[in-house]
Amino acid sequence: MIRIFLLCLGLATLPILADAQVGLRRSGRTQSGVELNYANPQEYEIAEITVTGVETLNADALVSLTGLRAGDRIRIPGDAITSAINKLWEQGIIGDVGVYISKIEGDKVWLEIGLTERPRLTSYEVEGVNRSQADDIKEQVKLIRGRVVTDALIKNTELSVRKYFVDKGYLNASVKIIPEKEKNLANSVKLRVLVTRGKKQRIDQINFVGNESLADSRLKARMKNTKEKPRVTLFKDLFSRIINFRPSDVAEFFSNTREIETQDVKDYLATHVKPNFFSSSKFVRDEFEEDKDAVIAFYNSKGYRDARIVGDSLYHSPKENMLVLNIDVEEGRKYYFREIDWSGNYVHSDSALARVLAINKGDVYDMELIQKKLNYNPNGLDISSLYMDNGYLFFSIKPVEVRVEGDSIDVEMRVQEGPQATIKRIIINGNERTKDHVILREVRTLPGDKFSRTDVIRTQREILALGYFDQESFGINPIPNPADGTVDIEYTVQERPSDQIEMSAGWGGRSAGGYGGFIGTLGLVFNNFSIQNIFKPSTWDPLPVGDGQTLALRAQASGRRFQSYSFTFSEPWLGGKKPNSFSVNLSHSIQRYYGSGANLFTFGEQSGHLRVTNVSVGLGRRAKWPDDFFQIRNSLSYQIYNIYTRLDEEGQPAAGYSLGQDIGILNGNANNITFNTTLARNSVSAPIYPLSGSSYTLSASFTPPYSLFNDRNYSTDVADEDRYKWVEYHKYMFDAELYTPVIGKLVINTKANMGFIGSYGSGNPISPFERFVVGGDGLSGQSSGYLLGRDIIGLRGYENNSIMPTNAQGTRIGGIIYNKFALQLRYPISLQPSATIYIQAFAEAGNNWGSYAEYNPFKLYRSAGIGARIFMPAFGLIGVDWGYGFDQVPGNAGASGPQFHFTIGQQLR
């Protein structure tokens, strides 16, 4: 066989053919005696083309790819052979390739394509890392079985794997890929990805060079992803301050705080607190480049319009596996606003727009502030709102620098007002279970009204407040119709499960009788119920849903000792035309006492019980003044307390103790008719994890003043068994809650709760019912000692019901006035529809007093701790907290100290 490699001369083709089997000569005679003259190519007709060296590929398909066919006339040497080789190389499946002449007869030539195939990938393994990291790497590189293994594939895989570890802080990680030929499969290889991670390297110091006007700490705070190893433990200081807290510290704190800017506090938190929990000190180049842009943006916001970063360097710290990052800054001159002129504005005057802008001559030049005041100011009015709330949807404004002189800049605000837009249609998408009218009745952007951005934002809040939709997936899309000057507003929602089931069981706790045991709970809450479809099974999904009503059923029991059942139904839009709510509640609870030694399985003879039956009906409405965040609710309830005590022959409790002793009645009934009125304002941004807003509630409850009607002193003129036949009291509760964003979704939640009970007439005793009990998780039932007829106030770090005053006889009867204050720092782990998870650190203090004479607002039981909350649509909000109570409870030495608390549902107090 005459072996002749055919190739055109020229530097352009040499790199492509470098791996081909060549062996060409400028001129001369081949082994078969065929003489080729490169200076004078000859034309031949292809008689036949054969392929050698194939293992898995189709020979005919390869010939077809070359573009050569038997019968074609080509020049040898010539471009046709070069083009054929190029086309085979472009497929990426060939290792080496050459075109040879088998023989020549006259003007006919027989060609042979000799090649080697690249191997195929059968499998690959990542070595030198744990299983979790190996799985993450496989997910990232995504090598597919059967893929042709090329040098480029191996190199790109090495780079991808190394980048994975560099992004995790392993800057010295090395990766080597070794192909191994498969013994039982032709032309196949497996890859061994060998990883040497080395030690993780973290940033020990970040040094800014050249920053004379802004401190390092302020610049570091702007770097959200590139952090140095923190050196300050804020919560250690926080615990120390709580332990040593004195009332005089309050005045001192506020006097000192006047000298501290809010931004300084945020910068301190960003630099020292957030890295401890939510950031690492690893170095990632891509994220660092973003952080450099953030630093320059911060400089620009302080007037340093020309600031830039001229260089950065990263080198090893003297500390092992630590890095030092130096950033060279050139600040430039600080600029100030001089003249701000307006053009194109006809609806609002220059002076009116200037008042909203609130930027004066001589203020620090800050285009970020300009943009905020023009487009969206979360803390007040902005120019866009001024126009868009009046229908000018097509409004736009562009600030332009028109003159720079020295350190002063003149800016012209170029306004395009455009026509007013009227809302034409409201479109609702994505509500598969909730009926349109339930969403539309919360919409503040009504057809026929002028477009208003404020109303659009308020509509978003009201729809999300229903709790039926995912807040992260909510969409707003204004669709302009320039032809008729109207706009359609499309709201897109994503349904999430809103019904809840509560199933729990526990063992422990202590009841009023001194024993604990098993308790089980089953609760069902249907938050988007439809009572009108209850008799239309064809509409069920899988229950009648979609009308926004709430139906709740709950049962709790611990054998015969404690049982509680409740039914609640509420309709938020009674009649369907106005937001007037209607609710009805029925409940029945019984607490039995069997004496000492009783347990879940053995009772003996019952020594006493307290049975409470309640029915209440409520009506509420949304107020329009001072704003429509206010609601007024009124309810009327009737409760009957049935107290039974088994007595001995001398008329004393046979078991030595009676539940009635805590109340003042051994045997008999107590009736309670109560009218309650509540004024509430709720502007929180979301029901589960609010990022902003507040909630205030003031409620007052009154019973008829029976003692005033009868002109009798109930403390002296009435026997014990008749004293509380008709319960009388007046009771007031106040709850305040505020959510303040700190950095991103890091939120401070501050709370204040207080309440007190009074009697009619100075000589009448205050009712033993509806008093306050403080301490623990704030739940009723087993963990709270089966306390009925009480308001249970949680205080983490203390045992359940441990802070409860006693009367003159030493009976723990409950308090008539309480205070509680709390501060919580929250951060979300997940805000997904399937589960909302957030963690929190808290500090709180509270107390409970048995008389007004004992009240001292500075005598509080203090605690602090950490916790987590998880909200799953099917089970509601579940929480766990660890708290440490700092103060001893008199008469109950073990009530404070480290405590774990579990909660179910949203805790109001």
Side-chain angles (χ1 to χ4, degrees), residues 170-318:
Y170 298 95
L171 300 186
N172 294 328
S174 63
V175 180
K176 183 178 181 181
I177 297 180
I178 300 177
E180 292 185 351
K181 188 174 179 64
E182 291 281 11
K183 296 180 180 179
N184 300 324
L185 294 174
N187 197 39
S188 298
V189 296
K190 65 179 181 180
L191 299 180
R192 293 177 59 203
V193 183
L194 306 181
V195 178
T196 304
R197 293 187 311 180
K199 295 290 186 179
K200 180 177 287 189
Q201 295 185 315
R202 299 186 181 278
I203 300 173
D204 181 49
Q205 294 180 24
I206 298 177
N207 301 318
F208 283 89
V209 180
N211 56 316
E212 299 177 358
S213 302
L214 298 178
D216 283 16
S217 62
R218 304 201 70 179
L219 300 179
K220 293 174 187 177
R222 294 301 165 296
M223 302 174 69
K224 304 302 181 184
N225 303 305
T226 309
K227 302 287 186 180
E228 63 184 11
K229 185 178 181 181
R231 294 172 176 79
V232 178
T233 307
L234 178 69
F235 289 102
K236 181 179 179 181
D237 298 338
L238 178 63
F239 275 98
S240 176
R241 289 180 179 271
I242 293 173
I243 294 173
N244 300 295
F245 175 79
R246 297 168 299 166
S248 59
D249 292 341
V250 177
E252 180 182 351
F253 172 79
F254 282 105
S255 64
N256 291 337
T257 302
R258 293 193 186 99
E259 302 175 1
I260 301 174
E261 295 182 7
T262 302
Q263 190 59 55
D264 292 332
V265 177
K266 290 185 176 182
D267 292 340
Y268 179 88
L269 291 173
T271 307
H272 298 295
V273 179
K274 193 176 180 181
N276 274 309
F277 299 98
F278 317 117
S279 299
S280 66
S281 53
K282 63 187 179 183
F283 179 83
V284 180
R285 173 57 66 174
D286 292 343
E287 295 178 349
F288 175 57
E289 293 299 325
E290 296 177 4
D291 287 338
K292 288 198 296 185
D293 292 339
V295 169
I296 295 304
F298 181 58
Y299 261 110
N300 295 159
S301 72
K302 298 303 178 184
Y304 296 92
R305 171 177 171 268
D306 302 326
R308 63 193 184 99
I309 292 177
V310 295
D312 60 78
S313 58
L314 186 70
Y315 59 90
H316 289 283
S317 166

Side-chain angles (χ1 to χ4, degrees), residues 394 480-486:
F394 309 104
N481 305 306
D484 57 3
T486 63

